Amino acid sequence: MTEYEAYVLGIRVIIRQNIKTLRVYRDSALVVYQLQGEWETKDIKLVEYKKLILDLLKEFDEVTFHYVPREENYMADALATLTVAFKAGGKLNMMSIDMQLYEYPDHCYQIEEVKDKKPWYHDILQYIKIQSYPEEATENNKRTIRRMATGYVFDGEILYKRSHNQVLLSCVDVREGKMILEEVHDGVCGTHANGHMMARKFMR
């Protein structure tokens, strides 16, 4: 509902500017694909929002929607940061702000990417399955792997992390983790559980 509210407010402002070509970039796949008609709008609370927005869009000659994944939506993150950093009133003259767009977020340049394409839990899984260690593992590394492995359970083809309350959390790689977070954020999983519970997949 918050995403739809943002659409309504933004479109009404644009209509007042007499703009006739509209390109919408949002990081909510749910709203973008619902407005495009690719996804069905099942939630009764959103049906009226969708109807209102489609009526407003009749004011434009051309409208296109573009889904931008949240991790790529750098401009929105930067503007949100600036919003909470500055307090401006009607009588305050704001200095101009120069912004530069980098290919990756700054923290990504500080992280050394692993190139072997193996999931983070690969060594633990290999030890549990066949009691093997990485070729370069020292005795200290082997002890660490054995100690860590006691907190995991292998069932079928899935490795689980045993939590402090004995709940088994399935281990996922980076690709699966991103997919799960996107689905939770976009509401694909429905409302039978809150976001925190739905995100309790063990990943790294």
Side-chain angles (χ1 to χ4, degrees):
M1 292 172 67
T2 303
E3 292 283 350
Y4 271 104
E5 288 279 2
Y7 268 83
V8 172
L9 293 174
I11 291 172
R12 283 176 171 166
V13 170
I14 295 169
I15 289 174
R16 290 198 294 268
Q17 301 298 321
N18 200 32
I19 294 171
K20 294 300 179 182
T21 300
L22 177 64
R23 294 187 180 90
V24 181
Y25 297 87
R26 299 290 295 184
D27 62 9
S28 173
L30 183 71
V31 179
V32 169
Y33 294 135
Q34 284 182 350
L35 291 176
Q36 286 180 324
E38 296 183 28
W39 290 2
E40 184 180 354
T41 307
K42 297 180 179 179
D43 192 331
I44 191 64
K45 298 189 296 294
L46 303 182
V47 172
E48 291 301 317
Y49 278 107
K50 179 181 177 181
K51 181 180 178 181
L52 172 60
I53 290 175
L54 293 179
D55 287 340
L56 291 173
L57 294 180
K58 294 176 182 178
E59 299 287 334
F60 300 92
D61 296 331
E62 179 185 351
V63 180
T64 55
F65 293 92
H66 306 272
Y67 168 59
V68 182
R70 171 161 288 195
E71 64 270 17
E72 298 176 14
N73 200 6
Y74 308 129
M75 185 59 69
D77 288 343
L79 292 176
T81 300
L82 290 174
T83 299
V84 298
F86 293 93
K87 291 184 178 180
K91 298 182 180 180
L92 181 64
N93 293 323
M94 291 293 295
M95 63 180 179
S96 61
I97 300 174
D98 295 326
M99 302 179 68
Q100 292 181 329
L101 180 63
Y102 291 92
E103 185 177 0
Y104 300 103
D106 182 67
H107 67 269
C108 290
Y109 291 102
Q110 310 302 321
I111 300 174
E112 189 172 324
E113 184 179 2
V114 178
K115 301 293 185 180
D116 61 10
K117 305 298 182 182
K118 298 176 183 176
W120 60 269
Y121 53 83
H122 174 77
D123 294 340
I124 297 173
L125 179 60
Q126 290 301 108
Y127 175 76
I128 293 176
K129 289 176 66 175
I130 56 176
Q131 284 72 54
S132 70
Y133 302 98
E135 293 182 2
E136 68 281 3
T138 63
E139 285 303 318
N140 187 50
N141 295 148
K142 293 178 181 179
R143 284 194 298 271
T144 300
I145 291 174
R146 289 195 298 270
R147 185 176 67 252
M148 293 179 64
T150 60
Y152 292 80
V153 175
F154 184 63
D155 183 28
E157 292 300 319
I158 303 177
L159 182 67
Y160 296 92
K161 165 68 175 176
R162 186 185 294 109
S163 69
H164 67 280
N165 57 0
Q166 301 305 308
V167 173
L168 298 181
L169 309 174
S170 61
C171 300
V172 298
D173 58 22
V174 173
R175 181 187 61 81
E176 292 174 304
K178 287 183 178 179
M179 182 180 67
I180 291 168
L181 290 176
E182 287 176 2
E183 289 180 350
V184 171
H185 171 70
D186 293 329
V188 173
C189 300
T191 57
H192 58 279
N194 61 40
H196 175 70
M197 293 301 296
M198 292 300 298
R200 289 190 64 185
K201 288 281 188 178
F202 187 81
M203 57 193 165
R204 184 171 173 178

